[in-house]
Amino acid sequence: MEMKGSSKKMMATEAEMVENKVPIPYRDQCAHLLFKCEYELVRERMLQMQKIHEEEAKLKQSGKQVGSIPLIPNTANA
């Protein structure tokens, strides 16, 4: 798909843009960049969730409960 009046070629097909729900005003020669950005965001979120799960597992192994509130605050023993 070639756009008139532009020197850049279309990298994404119309089907890819529809599948990735690219808004109509953004369906131009740069639309493929939106796909890459979405992929990177999803990957980043997955890595963050993996780190959170690993930290929770470490806390669980050490005997501490995740998100627990101590019954006796540290300041009470001061």
Side-chain angles (χ1 to χ4, degrees):
M1 182 175 179
E2 192 75 25
M3 297 284 290
K4 291 182 180 180
S6 177
S7 61
K8 293 186 178 190
K9 288 187 175 183
M10 289 292 291
M11 301 291 282
T13 66
E14 185 67 30
E16 289 173 326
M17 291 185 277
V18 170
E19 180 183 331
N20 287 287
K21 299 177 182 163
V22 175
I24 291 173
Y26 298 102
R27 294 182 186 180
D28 58 12
Q29 290 86 348
C30 298
H32 66 283
L33 298 173
L34 295 173
F35 305 159
K36 183 176 184 297
C37 182
E38 278 297 317
Y39 171 75
E40 288 174 1
L41 286 174
V42 169
R43 186 169 177 212
E44 184 178 306
R45 288 184 195 125
M46 287 174 57
L47 289 172
Q48 287 175 347
M49 285 303 298
Q50 183 179 359
K51 286 179 184 179
I52 290 169
H53 290 301
E54 288 172 358
E55 289 174 9
E56 287 177 350
K58 285 180 186 177
L59 287 174
K60 198 172 190 178
Q61 285 179 350
S62 69
K64 294 182 180 178
Q65 289 184 350
V66 178
S68 65
I69 299 173
L71 296 176
I72 303 172
N74 291 336
T75 56
N77 296 330

